[in-house]
Amino acid sequence: MGYQGHFRVWRGSDEGGGLEDFTVEVNEGEVVLDVIHRLQATQTPDLAVRWNCKAGKCGSCSAEINGKPRLLCMTRMSVFAEDETVTVTPMRTFPVIRDLVTDVSYNYKKAREIPAFKPPAGVAPGEYRMQQVDVERSQEFRKCIECFLCNNTCHVIRDHEENKESFAGPRFLMRVAELEMHPLDEADRVQEAQSSHGLGLCNITKCCTEVCPEHIKITDNALIPMKERVADRRYDPIVWLGNKLFRN
Ligand code: SF4
Ligand code: F3S
Ligand code: FES
């Protein structure tokens, strides 16, 4: 049975805006994105929302629902009480273009800062051989749909715009970890993670892991192992001596 739902949606741009209230039909089995589409069709034809697959796979429909970062297409209306007001706002960490659509170019900039996979010289694609355990490790990371909810949530940039320059965010620190753990990658990612991608700013709050719609264990399987590699290198006396001798 359908019912009249109460929605509060943020409208505006970077220059300003506010929450607008709507009463809108909700039907059984619907997700929040269905209701946003009904609003567009019946009351607010100019409401901006980004989406593509409606199946939790394209990563386009990221927003915040009742203050929690979530995918609009994967949040069922049945998780809310019928008399509850559902508040939908754009991701807070990125500049708003219009309404629910944010400018996520920060993320693409960070992606470009990570040097590409560097295989050993003389081994052609197709000749790469690796253990199944290594394949599985990187497969977890490659489930990422680039929704950027993790980067949106991490307090290092959510509350500190000034950190954006030096912090790649959990999504791209995970990419650095994926490459570092790849048995055929020959680039040295450990020092770079710390000095160029801001690994040291992560204090393991795990909020990124909590919001990941793909349930990737970002903190436990990518960030903490990277931090351990940084610590091993720093405190290994042989490496320390090597650094001393060769740096001078
Ligand atoms: Fe989204 Fe998870 Fe990928 Fe982060 S790691 S961008 S939360 S899918
Ligand atoms: Fe941020 Fe995740 Fe670290 S939320 S502080 S990157 S554990
Ligand atoms: Fe593709 Fe929601 S529309 S993830």
Side-chain angles (χ1 to χ4, degrees):
M1 276 288 285
Y3 66 94
Q4 293 297 308
H6 306 291
F7 263 66
R8 192 166 285 166
V9 182
W10 198 88
R11 309 283 321 266
S13 68
D14 237 8
E15 318 227 301
L19 292 165
E20 270 181 39
D21 285 297
F22 300 96
T23 302
V24 54
E25 183 187 323
V26 178
N27 296 307
E28 196 176 342
E30 288 185 335
V31 293
V32 172
L33 186 60
D34 290 315
V35 182
I36 294 290
H37 283 161
R38 183 164 301 115
L39 277 177
Q40 279 182 325
T42 59
Q43 304 182 42
T44 55
D46 61 340
L47 171 63
V49 59
R50 188 189 280 129
W51 69 286
N52 253 293
C53 69
K54 210 168 165 268
K57 287 295 160 220
C58 72
S60 304
C61 67
S62 304
E64 304 196 2
I65 306 175
N66 291 351
K68 287 202 184 126
R70 307 181 74 141
L71 295 178
L72 296 174
C73 75
M74 296 304 284
T75 306
R76 293 195 167 276
M77 283 306 299
S78 56
V79 302
F80 308 108
E82 291 189 5
D83 60 356
E84 187 176 348
T85 299
V86 179
T87 303
V88 187
T89 48
M91 286 193 284
R92 203 180 88 189
T93 300
F94 311 120
V96 175
I97 296 174
R98 192 156 66 83
D99 303 335
L100 301 176
V101 177
T102 48
D103 174 0
V104 291
S105 52
Y106 155 83
N107 300 283
Y108 301 117
K109 178 172 177 281
K110 293 297 155 184
R112 284 193 296 271
E113 287 172 6
I114 299 169
F117 173 61
K118 190 175 172 219
V123 184
E127 292 172 1
Y128 299 165
R129 296 289 177 268
M130 55 200 274
Q131 301 285 326
Q132 187 60 25
V133 65
D134 292 320
V135 173
E136 280 159 15
R137 189 181 299 116
S138 60
Q139 262 174 354
E140 182 193 11
F141 304 142
R142 296 189 74 93
K143 286 193 303 181
C144 175
I145 58 169
E146 302 220 313
C147 64
F148 305 128
L149 286 174
C150 55
N151 282 4
N152 171 55
T153 306
C154 179
H155 68 97
V156 172
I157 47 175
R158 189 175 174 90
D159 301 330
H160 301 279
E161 180 70 27
E162 70 279 11
N163 284 340
K164 281 189 178 166
E165 194 56 38
S166 51
F167 188 62
R171 194 280 167 255
F172 296 108
L173 286 168
M174 179 175 85
R175 172 70 179 148
V176 175
E178 179 195 336
L179 290 165
E180 168 60 22
M181 292 177 202
H182 195 300
L184 293 172
D185 183 69
E186 295 212 320
D188 179 6
R189 312 274 171 183
V190 175
Q191 187 54 39
E192 286 283 293
Q194 196 74 0
S195 59
S196 308
H197 308 304
L199 179 66
L201 290 169
C202 162
N203 56 352
I204 328 186
T205 57
K206 297 199 181 187
C207 312
C208 51
T209 303
E210 273 174 35
V211 299
C212 177
E214 286 294 317
H215 308 293
I216 302 170
K217 293 197 168 70
I218 308 168
T219 321
D220 287 355
N221 291 350
L223 306 183
I224 292 175
M226 275 312 275
K227 281 177 173 289
E228 285 170 352
R229 287 177 190 220
V230 170
D232 283 352
R233 185 165 306 181
R234 281 204 182 146
Y235 300 116
D236 183 326
I238 308 253
V239 174
W240 179 83
L241 189 65
N243 280 343
K244 272 268 177 229
L245 292 174
F246 295 111
R247 238 188 237 158
N248 296 330

